[in-house]
Amino acid sequence: LDMSASTAIRAAEPERQVPRLNLRRVFNSVLRRWLLIAIIFIVCLVAAFVAYSWTPRIYSSTARVAVDRRAEALVAPDKSVPAPLTADSSVVDTEVQKLQSPELLASVVDKLHLHQDPEFVGSNPGQSARDKAIGALGSKLNIHRDGTSYSIAVSASSRSPVMAANMVNNLIDVY
């Protein structure tokens, strides 16, 4: 085939018209199915309400701890000269690790009697109630450094707002 023959075949075909969007047709089809659309909307609304009402409420409490950046002197310093500041940020990262230590968490569990709280004691028969509570407390805590600052954010979440605040406050007191 040469170019002129294929051009002639295309010219003989009628041009297809692209159907235009007719808003009246769209409106009429929605109007015909209004009952189905309303039922689907109501079912979705009721399902969302039921899911929202069954979701347990979780409360969160946060505290911030500032790490002292001043170096400790072995000899009592002169009060007129301020202590030198340490520039090592690994000190803050070490303090974050201390706050997450199992020994510290165990002290909080003992102080708040979390081994008797059903929120902290699961159904794992292989562990003692105290070990379960320590693990649950560790999973409910979020301890991290605030950016590159010398402060540490300690957050806790619980089903009870009082328990969330007690966990954070007692962890910082024990620390």
Side-chain angles (χ1 to χ4, degrees), residues 11-32:
E13 291 180 11
E15 283 190 37
R16 294 184 196 166
Q17 290 186 349
V18 178
R20 293 185 352 188
L21 181 64
N22 187 343
L23 291 178
R24 181 168 285 166
R25 269 202 220 154
V26 172
F27 180 72
N28 286 337
S29 65
V30 168
L31 196 57
R32 279 190 304 249

Side-chain angles (χ1 to χ4, degrees), residues 87-165:
D88 188 11
S89 70
S90 63
V91 171
V92 180
D93 296 332
T94 303
E95 297 303 314
V96 168
Q97 294 301 318
K98 282 184 190 177
L99 279 165
Q100 295 172 341
S101 70
E103 293 81 18
L104 217 61
L105 298 180
S107 299
V108 173
V109 165
D110 294 339
K111 194 171 182 182
L112 294 176
H113 305 290
L114 298 180
H115 59 280
Q116 299 171 350
D117 191 336
E119 182 179 354
F120 292 88
V121 181
S123 61
N124 189 354
Q127 293 180 322
S128 70
R130 185 172 184 262
D131 291 340
K132 290 181 208 176
I134 291 169
L137 177 62
S139 68
K140 291 177 180 288
L141 289 174
N142 182 11
I143 303 169
H144 64 277
R145 181 178 182 180
D146 281 341
T148 58
S149 68
Y150 284 90
S151 69
I152 300 170
V154 180
S155 299
S157 58
S158 176
R159 293 183 196 148
S160 163
V162 174
M163 182 57 72

Side-chain angles (χ1 to χ4, degrees), residues 1-13:
L1 287 176
D2 61 356
M3 283 298 249
S4 61
S6 65
T7 308
I9 293 173
R10 283 191 199 152
E13 291 180 11

Side-chain angles (χ1 to χ4, degrees), residues 159-171:
R159 293 183 196 148
S160 163
V162 174
M163 182 57 72
N166 283 340
M167 287 189 295
V168 169
N169 291 336
N170 281 292
L171 181 64

Side-chain angles (χ1 to χ4, degrees), residues 37-71:
I37 293 170
I39 289 172
I40 290 172
F41 176 76
I42 290 171
V43 166
C44 289
L45 191 65
V46 168
F49 177 75
V50 168
Y52 175 75
S53 63
W54 281 355
T55 304
R57 286 180 173 66
I58 302 294
Y59 297 94
S60 180
S61 179
T62 302
R64 287 184 171 47
V65 178
V67 176
D68 188 12
R69 298 176 6 189
R70 301 203 183 271

